[in-house]
Short mmCIF file of all heavy atoms in Angstrom, two decimals:
data_model
loop_
_atom_site.label_atom_id
_atom_site.label_comp_id
_atom_site.label_asym_id
_atom_site.label_seq_id
_atom_site.Cartn_x
_atom_site.Cartn_y
_atom_site.Cartn_z
N MET A 72 94.78 97.74 91.01
CA MET A 72 94.58 97.94 89.59
C MET A 72 95.02 99.31 89.18
O MET A 72 94.69 100.32 89.81
CB MET A 72 93.11 97.73 89.33
CG MET A 72 92.66 98.14 87.96
SD MET A 72 90.94 97.90 87.70
CE MET A 72 90.35 99.59 87.64
N SER A 73 95.97 99.31 88.27
CA SER A 73 96.33 100.65 87.79
C SER A 73 95.30 101.12 86.75
O SER A 73 94.98 100.45 85.75
CB SER A 73 97.66 100.68 87.11
OG SER A 73 97.67 100.44 85.77
N ARG A 74 94.74 102.32 87.06
CA ARG A 74 93.59 102.79 86.14
C ARG A 74 94.18 103.47 84.85
O ARG A 74 94.10 104.69 84.81
CB ARG A 74 92.78 103.73 87.03
CG ARG A 74 91.86 103.07 87.93
CD ARG A 74 91.12 104.09 88.66
NE ARG A 74 89.99 103.63 89.38
CZ ARG A 74 88.74 103.54 88.96
NH1 ARG A 74 88.47 104.03 87.71
NH2 ARG A 74 87.83 103.08 89.66
N VAL A 75 94.84 102.71 83.98
CA VAL A 75 95.32 103.29 82.77
C VAL A 75 94.81 102.41 81.62
O VAL A 75 94.94 101.20 81.76
CB VAL A 75 96.89 103.17 82.86
CG1 VAL A 75 97.53 103.72 81.50
CG2 VAL A 75 97.54 104.09 83.94
N CYS A 76 94.39 103.01 80.55
CA CYS A 76 93.96 102.33 79.31
C CYS A 76 95.09 101.79 78.70
O CYS A 76 96.07 102.42 78.33
CB CYS A 76 93.13 103.31 78.51
SG CYS A 76 92.60 102.60 76.99
N SER A 77 95.03 100.55 78.28
CA SER A 77 96.09 99.83 77.63
C SER A 77 96.15 100.15 76.11
O SER A 77 97.10 99.81 75.44
CB SER A 77 96.02 98.30 77.77
OG SER A 77 94.77 97.83 77.47
N ILE A 78 95.11 100.88 75.58
CA ILE A 78 95.11 101.21 74.14
C ILE A 78 95.57 102.67 74.01
O ILE A 78 96.47 102.88 73.16
CB ILE A 78 93.64 101.00 73.56
CG1 ILE A 78 93.27 99.47 73.58
CG2 ILE A 78 93.53 101.53 72.18
CD1 ILE A 78 91.99 99.13 73.16
N CYS A 79 94.92 103.61 74.66
CA CYS A 79 95.21 104.96 74.46
C CYS A 79 96.13 105.56 75.42
O CYS A 79 96.68 106.69 75.30
CB CYS A 79 93.95 105.88 74.25
SG CYS A 79 92.92 105.99 75.81
N GLY A 80 96.24 104.88 76.62
CA GLY A 80 97.10 105.40 77.74
C GLY A 80 96.43 106.45 78.68
O GLY A 80 97.14 107.07 79.45
N LYS A 81 95.18 106.61 78.48
CA LYS A 81 94.41 107.53 79.37
C LYS A 81 94.52 107.02 80.83
O LYS A 81 94.32 105.84 81.10
CB LYS A 81 92.98 107.70 78.91
CG LYS A 81 92.06 108.51 79.82
CD LYS A 81 90.64 108.34 79.50
CE LYS A 81 90.21 109.44 78.76
NZ LYS A 81 88.68 109.44 78.59
N GLY A 82 94.80 108.00 81.72
CA GLY A 82 94.93 107.57 83.13
C GLY A 82 94.33 108.64 84.10
O GLY A 82 93.46 109.38 83.67
N GLN A 83 94.87 108.66 85.24
CA GLN A 83 94.42 109.64 86.28
C GLN A 83 94.83 111.04 85.95
O GLN A 83 95.95 111.19 85.52
CB GLN A 83 94.91 109.14 87.58
CG GLN A 83 94.55 109.93 88.77
CD GLN A 83 95.01 109.43 90.06
OE1 GLN A 83 94.67 108.23 90.35
NE2 GLN A 83 95.80 110.10 90.84
N THR A 84 94.01 111.94 86.20
CA THR A 84 94.30 113.40 86.07
C THR A 84 93.77 114.15 87.25
O THR A 84 93.08 113.57 88.07
CB THR A 84 93.69 113.92 84.71
OG1 THR A 84 94.11 115.35 84.61
CG2 THR A 84 92.15 113.94 84.82
N SER A 85 94.32 115.34 87.39
CA SER A 85 93.96 116.01 88.64
C SER A 85 93.23 117.33 88.32
O SER A 85 93.34 117.95 87.27
CB SER A 85 95.23 116.33 89.47
OG SER A 85 96.17 117.12 88.75
N GLY A 86 92.60 117.88 89.32
CA GLY A 86 91.88 119.17 89.23
C GLY A 86 91.50 119.68 90.61
O GLY A 86 92.12 119.35 91.57
N ASN A 87 90.45 120.49 90.75
CA ASN A 87 90.11 121.06 91.94
C ASN A 87 88.64 120.69 92.33
O ASN A 87 87.82 120.61 91.44
CB ASN A 87 90.16 122.65 91.87
CG ASN A 87 91.58 123.06 91.95
OD1 ASN A 87 92.47 122.66 92.67
ND2 ASN A 87 91.89 124.09 90.98
N ASN A 88 88.41 120.53 93.65
CA ASN A 88 87.09 120.58 94.17
C ASN A 88 86.81 122.10 94.39
O ASN A 88 87.71 122.71 95.06
CB ASN A 88 86.99 119.90 95.50
CG ASN A 88 86.84 118.33 95.34
OD1 ASN A 88 86.10 117.91 94.40
ND2 ASN A 88 87.25 117.59 96.33
N VAL A 89 85.67 122.52 94.01
CA VAL A 89 85.40 124.02 94.29
C VAL A 89 84.08 124.07 95.12
O VAL A 89 82.98 123.56 94.62
CB VAL A 89 85.22 124.82 92.96
CG1 VAL A 89 84.94 126.23 93.20
CG2 VAL A 89 86.41 124.67 92.08
N SER A 90 84.18 124.63 96.21
CA SER A 90 83.01 124.67 97.20
C SER A 90 82.18 125.90 96.74
O SER A 90 82.47 126.75 95.94
CB SER A 90 83.48 124.83 98.61
OG SER A 90 83.94 126.17 98.85
N HIS A 91 80.96 125.98 97.47
CA HIS A 91 80.06 127.13 97.24
C HIS A 91 80.78 128.47 97.52
O HIS A 91 80.44 129.38 96.90
CB HIS A 91 78.87 126.90 98.08
CG HIS A 91 77.87 127.93 97.84
ND1 HIS A 91 77.13 128.17 96.77
CD2 HIS A 91 77.34 128.96 98.75
CE1 HIS A 91 76.22 129.19 96.85
NE2 HIS A 91 76.42 129.65 98.12
N SER A 92 81.66 128.39 98.58
CA SER A 92 82.32 129.70 98.83
C SER A 92 83.65 129.85 98.06
O SER A 92 84.45 130.76 98.38
CB SER A 92 82.64 129.68 100.32
OG SER A 92 83.60 128.55 100.66
N ASN A 93 83.80 129.02 97.04
CA ASN A 93 84.87 129.10 96.09
C ASN A 93 86.24 128.80 96.63
O ASN A 93 87.24 129.22 96.09
CB ASN A 93 84.93 130.56 95.41
CG ASN A 93 85.49 130.43 94.03
OD1 ASN A 93 85.31 129.45 93.29
ND2 ASN A 93 86.07 131.57 93.53
N ARG A 94 86.31 127.99 97.66
CA ARG A 94 87.55 127.48 98.19
C ARG A 94 87.89 126.25 97.28
O ARG A 94 87.04 125.47 96.89
CB ARG A 94 87.39 127.01 99.60
CG ARG A 94 87.24 128.24 100.57
CD ARG A 94 87.03 127.65 101.94
NE ARG A 94 88.05 126.79 102.45
CZ ARG A 94 89.08 127.15 103.25
NH1 ARG A 94 89.18 128.54 103.66
NH2 ARG A 94 90.02 126.38 103.67
N LYS A 95 89.18 126.09 97.03
CA LYS A 95 89.63 125.02 96.12
C LYS A 95 90.60 124.09 96.85
O LYS A 95 91.54 124.41 97.58
CB LYS A 95 90.35 125.58 94.97
CG LYS A 95 89.43 126.41 94.14
CD LYS A 95 90.21 127.38 93.17
CE LYS A 95 89.25 128.28 92.37
NZ LYS A 95 88.65 129.31 93.18
N THR A 96 90.22 122.74 96.71
CA THR A 96 91.12 121.77 97.21
C THR A 96 91.35 120.73 96.09
O THR A 96 90.54 120.52 95.25
CB THR A 96 90.41 120.99 98.36
OG1 THR A 96 89.31 120.47 98.03
CG2 THR A 96 90.32 121.91 99.59
N ARG A 97 92.56 120.10 96.08
CA ARG A 97 92.89 119.25 94.99
C ARG A 97 92.12 117.96 95.09
O ARG A 97 91.81 117.39 96.09
CB ARG A 97 94.47 118.85 94.98
CG ARG A 97 95.34 120.12 94.89
CD ARG A 97 95.08 120.82 93.62
NE ARG A 97 95.62 120.24 92.46
CZ ARG A 97 95.54 120.56 91.20
NH1 ARG A 97 94.92 121.69 90.96
NH2 ARG A 97 96.09 119.92 90.25
N ARG A 98 91.82 117.37 93.87
CA ARG A 98 91.22 116.08 93.71
C ARG A 98 91.67 115.44 92.48
O ARG A 98 92.47 115.96 91.71
CB ARG A 98 89.68 116.27 93.61
CG ARG A 98 89.31 116.99 92.41
CD ARG A 98 87.77 116.87 92.00
NE ARG A 98 87.54 115.47 91.65
CZ ARG A 98 86.40 115.00 91.23
NH1 ARG A 98 85.41 115.73 91.14
NH2 ARG A 98 86.31 113.80 90.81
N THR A 99 91.32 114.05 92.33
CA THR A 99 91.81 113.36 91.20
C THR A 99 90.54 112.89 90.44
O THR A 99 89.50 112.55 91.00
CB THR A 99 92.58 112.17 91.61
OG1 THR A 99 91.82 111.31 92.53
CG2 THR A 99 93.82 112.57 92.27
N PHE A 100 90.70 112.85 89.20
CA PHE A 100 89.65 112.30 88.27
C PHE A 100 90.34 111.02 87.73
O PHE A 100 91.40 110.92 87.12
CB PHE A 100 89.45 113.18 87.02
CG PHE A 100 88.77 114.45 87.39
CD1 PHE A 100 89.52 115.54 87.60
CD2 PHE A 100 87.39 114.56 87.53
CE1 PHE A 100 88.94 116.81 87.97
CE2 PHE A 100 86.77 115.77 87.89
CZ PHE A 100 87.58 116.86 88.10
N LYS A 101 89.65 109.85 87.94
CA LYS A 101 90.11 108.50 87.54
C LYS A 101 89.46 108.09 86.22
O LYS A 101 88.25 108.36 86.01
CB LYS A 101 89.87 107.51 88.66
CG LYS A 101 90.75 107.83 89.87
CD LYS A 101 90.64 106.77 90.89
CE LYS A 101 91.60 107.11 92.03
NZ LYS A 101 90.87 107.15 93.30
N ALA A 102 90.18 107.47 85.43
CA ALA A 102 89.66 106.99 84.09
C ALA A 102 88.72 105.87 84.29
O ALA A 102 88.93 104.95 85.16
CB ALA A 102 90.90 106.56 83.22
N ASN A 103 87.64 105.84 83.59
CA ASN A 103 86.66 104.65 83.69
C ASN A 103 87.16 103.49 82.81
O ASN A 103 86.94 103.39 81.50
CB ASN A 103 85.26 105.24 83.17
CG ASN A 103 84.25 104.20 83.36
OD1 ASN A 103 84.39 103.12 83.85
ND2 ASN A 103 83.06 104.51 82.76
N VAL A 104 87.97 102.58 83.32
CA VAL A 104 88.48 101.46 82.60
C VAL A 104 87.76 100.21 83.03
O VAL A 104 87.40 100.00 84.17
CB VAL A 104 89.97 101.37 82.79
CG1 VAL A 104 90.72 102.60 82.20
CG2 VAL A 104 90.34 101.28 84.29
N GLN A 105 87.64 99.27 81.99
CA GLN A 105 86.93 98.02 82.23
C GLN A 105 87.91 96.96 81.74
O GLN A 105 88.66 97.11 80.82
CB GLN A 105 85.61 97.96 81.47
CG GLN A 105 84.77 99.11 81.62
CD GLN A 105 84.17 99.24 82.96
OE1 GLN A 105 83.84 98.17 83.64
NE2 GLN A 105 84.02 100.42 83.48
N LYS A 106 87.83 95.80 82.46
CA LYS A 106 88.80 94.57 82.06
C LYS A 106 88.05 93.83 80.92
O LYS A 106 86.93 93.35 81.04
CB LYS A 106 89.06 93.75 83.23
CG LYS A 106 90.06 92.64 82.97
CD LYS A 106 90.36 91.90 84.18
CE LYS A 106 91.56 90.96 83.95
NZ LYS A 106 91.93 90.23 85.07
N VAL A 107 88.64 93.85 79.79
CA VAL A 107 88.14 93.18 78.59
C VAL A 107 89.18 92.50 77.83
O VAL A 107 90.39 92.72 77.96
CB VAL A 107 87.42 94.25 77.62
CG1 VAL A 107 86.18 94.82 78.30
CG2 VAL A 107 88.30 95.24 77.19
N SER A 108 88.77 91.59 76.92
CA SER A 108 89.73 90.96 75.97
C SER A 108 89.44 91.60 74.65
O SER A 108 88.41 91.80 74.25
CB SER A 108 89.57 89.47 75.96
OG SER A 108 88.20 89.08 75.58
N TYR A 109 90.57 91.90 73.96
CA TYR A 109 90.57 92.65 72.65
C TYR A 109 91.63 92.03 71.82
O TYR A 109 92.58 91.44 72.24
CB TYR A 109 90.57 94.11 72.95
CG TYR A 109 91.82 94.50 73.56
CD1 TYR A 109 93.00 94.99 72.88
CD2 TYR A 109 91.97 94.56 74.96
CE1 TYR A 109 94.14 95.39 73.51
CE2 TYR A 109 93.07 95.04 75.58
CZ TYR A 109 94.20 95.38 74.82
OH TYR A 109 95.37 95.73 75.49
N VAL A 110 91.53 92.29 70.54
CA VAL A 110 92.52 91.85 69.50
C VAL A 110 93.54 92.97 69.21
O VAL A 110 93.19 94.10 68.94
CB VAL A 110 91.83 91.43 68.18
CG1 VAL A 110 92.87 91.03 67.17
CG2 VAL A 110 90.87 90.32 68.50
N GLU A 111 94.83 92.65 69.46
CA GLU A 111 95.88 93.56 69.28
C GLU A 111 96.98 92.89 68.42
O GLU A 111 97.58 91.96 68.92
CB GLU A 111 96.36 94.13 70.62
CG GLU A 111 97.49 95.27 70.40
CD GLU A 111 97.83 95.81 71.73
OE1 GLU A 111 98.00 95.13 72.72
OE2 GLU A 111 97.88 97.12 71.77
N ASN A 112 97.34 93.47 67.30
CA ASN A 112 98.30 92.79 66.46
C ASN A 112 97.96 91.45 66.02
O ASN A 112 98.86 90.47 66.02
CB ASN A 112 99.80 92.85 67.06
CG ASN A 112 100.17 94.35 67.34
OD1 ASN A 112 99.83 95.21 66.56
ND2 ASN A 112 100.87 94.49 68.39
N GLY A 113 96.63 91.07 65.79
CA GLY A 113 96.30 89.79 65.41
C GLY A 113 96.21 88.71 66.54
O GLY A 113 96.00 87.57 66.32
N LYS A 114 96.46 89.22 67.78
CA LYS A 114 96.45 88.25 68.98
C LYS A 114 95.50 88.80 69.98
O LYS A 114 95.39 89.97 70.25
CB LYS A 114 97.83 88.26 69.49
CG LYS A 114 98.14 87.07 70.51
CD LYS A 114 99.63 86.86 70.70
CE LYS A 114 100.29 88.13 71.31
NZ LYS A 114 101.59 87.80 71.86
N GLU A 115 94.73 87.86 70.60
CA GLU A 115 93.79 88.27 71.56
C GLU A 115 94.55 88.43 72.96
O GLU A 115 95.18 87.54 73.33
CB GLU A 115 92.65 87.29 71.70
CG GLU A 115 91.51 87.75 72.57
CD GLU A 115 90.29 86.79 72.60
OE1 GLU A 115 89.97 86.34 71.51
OE2 GLU A 115 89.73 86.63 73.66
N THR A 116 94.31 89.58 73.54
CA THR A 116 94.86 89.99 74.87
C THR A 116 93.87 90.40 75.77
O THR A 116 92.84 90.94 75.31
CB THR A 116 96.07 90.95 74.69
OG1 THR A 116 95.46 92.18 74.10
CG2 THR A 116 97.15 90.44 73.85
N THR A 117 94.11 90.38 77.09
CA THR A 117 93.28 90.84 78.09
C THR A 117 93.88 92.06 78.74
O THR A 117 95.12 92.04 79.12
CB THR A 117 92.96 89.76 79.18
OG1 THR A 117 92.38 88.64 78.54
CG2 THR A 117 91.95 90.27 80.25
N GLY A 118 93.08 93.14 78.93
CA GLY A 118 93.70 94.39 79.63
C GLY A 118 92.56 95.21 80.00
O GLY A 118 91.42 94.96 79.84
N TYR A 119 92.98 96.38 80.56
CA TYR A 119 92.01 97.44 81.02
C TYR A 119 91.90 98.36 79.83
O TYR A 119 92.89 98.93 79.33
CB TYR A 119 92.56 98.05 82.24
CG TYR A 119 92.35 97.10 83.40
CD1 TYR A 119 93.53 96.43 83.96
CD2 TYR A 119 91.27 96.85 84.14
CE1 TYR A 119 93.46 95.57 84.94
CE2 TYR A 119 91.18 95.94 85.14
CZ TYR A 119 92.28 95.29 85.58
OH TYR A 119 92.22 94.48 86.65
N VAL A 120 90.62 98.67 79.44
CA VAL A 120 90.43 99.52 78.30
C VAL A 120 89.35 100.61 78.75
O VAL A 120 88.40 100.35 79.37
CB VAL A 120 89.87 98.75 77.12
CG1 VAL A 120 89.49 99.71 75.97
CG2 VAL A 120 90.85 97.67 76.64
N CYS A 121 89.60 101.86 78.47
CA CYS A 121 88.64 102.92 78.75
C CYS A 121 87.40 102.85 78.01
O CYS A 121 87.41 102.20 76.92
CB CYS A 121 89.34 104.36 78.64
SG CYS A 121 89.62 104.87 76.98
N THR A 122 86.37 103.38 78.45
CA THR A 122 85.02 103.18 77.84
C THR A 122 84.96 103.87 76.51
O THR A 122 84.23 103.55 75.54
CB THR A 122 83.98 103.71 78.67
OG1 THR A 122 84.22 105.04 79.13
CG2 THR A 122 83.73 102.77 79.96
N ARG A 123 85.75 104.93 76.29
CA ARG A 123 85.79 105.62 75.05
C ARG A 123 86.33 104.77 73.91
O ARG A 123 85.91 104.58 72.79
CB ARG A 123 86.55 106.96 75.10
CG ARG A 123 86.48 107.69 73.77
CD ARG A 123 87.31 109.08 73.93
NE ARG A 123 86.56 109.97 74.75
CZ ARG A 123 86.96 111.19 75.00
NH1 ARG A 123 88.04 111.63 74.45
NH2 ARG A 123 86.29 112.05 75.79
N CYS A 124 87.43 103.91 74.27
CA CYS A 124 88.05 103.06 73.31
C CYS A 124 87.12 101.93 73.08
O CYS A 124 87.00 101.39 71.96
CB CYS A 124 89.42 102.55 73.84
SG CYS A 124 90.65 103.82 73.74
N LEU A 125 86.36 101.44 74.07
CA LEU A 125 85.37 100.37 73.99
C LEU A 125 84.27 100.80 72.97
O LEU A 125 83.86 100.00 72.06
CB LEU A 125 84.69 100.04 75.28
CG LEU A 125 85.45 99.03 76.09
CD1 LEU A 125 84.75 98.97 77.46
CD2 LEU A 125 85.58 97.76 75.47
N LYS A 126 83.79 102.14 73.09
CA LYS A 126 82.77 102.60 72.19
C LYS A 126 83.31 102.70 70.72
O LYS A 126 82.67 102.29 69.77
CB LYS A 126 82.32 103.88 72.66
CG LYS A 126 81.13 104.48 72.08
CD LYS A 126 80.62 105.66 72.83
CE LYS A 126 79.36 106.25 72.14
NZ LYS A 126 78.95 107.39 72.89
N LYS A 127 84.59 103.10 70.55
CA LYS A 127 85.15 103.18 69.27
C LYS A 127 85.33 101.86 68.65
O LYS A 127 85.06 101.67 67.45
CB LYS A 127 86.65 103.78 69.45
CG LYS A 127 86.85 105.05 68.70
CD LYS A 127 88.30 105.47 68.79
CE LYS A 127 88.51 106.35 69.98
NZ LYS A 127 89.90 106.80 70.01
N ALA A 128 85.67 100.76 69.44
CA ALA A 128 85.76 99.48 68.92
C ALA A 128 84.42 98.88 68.37
O ALA A 128 84.36 98.12 67.48
CB ALA A 128 86.44 98.46 69.91
N ASP A 129 83.32 99.26 69.12
CA ASP A 129 81.97 98.83 68.63
C ASP A 129 81.59 99.37 67.32
O ASP A 129 80.90 98.78 66.60
CB ASP A 129 81.00 99.24 69.82
CG ASP A 129 81.13 98.34 71.04
OD1 ASP A 129 81.78 97.33 71.03
OD2 ASP A 129 80.61 98.71 72.15
N ARG A 130 82.09 100.64 67.09
CA ARG A 130 81.64 101.26 65.85
C ARG A 130 82.36 100.68 64.59
O ARG A 130 81.87 100.72 63.53
CB ARG A 130 82.01 102.79 65.90
CG ARG A 130 80.84 103.52 66.61
CD ARG A 130 81.12 105.03 66.52
NE ARG A 130 81.80 105.45 67.75
CZ ARG A 130 82.56 106.39 67.86
NH1 ARG A 130 82.98 107.07 66.75
NH2 ARG A 130 83.09 106.76 69.03
N ALA A 131 83.63 100.27 64.91
CA ALA A 131 84.40 99.66 63.78
C ALA A 131 83.95 98.33 63.29
O ALA A 131 83.19 97.63 63.81
CB ALA A 131 85.86 99.61 64.18
#
């Protein structure tokens, strides 16, 4: 599963693990995407949507 939101395009990003002694190693932050069906251009489609877009859709 590619962890990319099909609405906003949010995906994996990178940063650092920082230990107590302040050593830094690379790590990845993965987008929290859920498989849902949603309406796009008047047609119902199924795809992976990030939780921020899901929350936005609930408000509308």
Side-chain angles (χ1 to χ4, degrees):
M72 170 180 107
S73 95
R74 287 178 163 265
V75 177
C76 177
S77 55
I78 294 176
C79 67
K81 177 192 259 188
Q83 181 174 302
T84 185
S85 61
N87 286 316
N88 279 326
V89 182
S90 71
H91 181 68
S92 62
N93 209 28
R94 290 176 58 98
K95 292 161 184 79
T96 56
R97 297 303 283 178
R98 63 160 292 181
T99 59
F100 295 93
K101 296 184 173 128
N103 184 7
V104 292
Q105 311 294 321
K106 189 174 187 177
V107 293
S108 58
Y109 58 96
V110 177
E111 186 174 42
N112 299 329
K114 193 166 59 168
E115 188 171 320
T116 57
T117 302
Y119 292 100
V120 177
C121 70
T122 51
R123 186 178 289 181
C124 290
L125 276 175
K126 195 172 180 181
K127 240 186 268 183
D129 287 345
R130 279 187 262 149

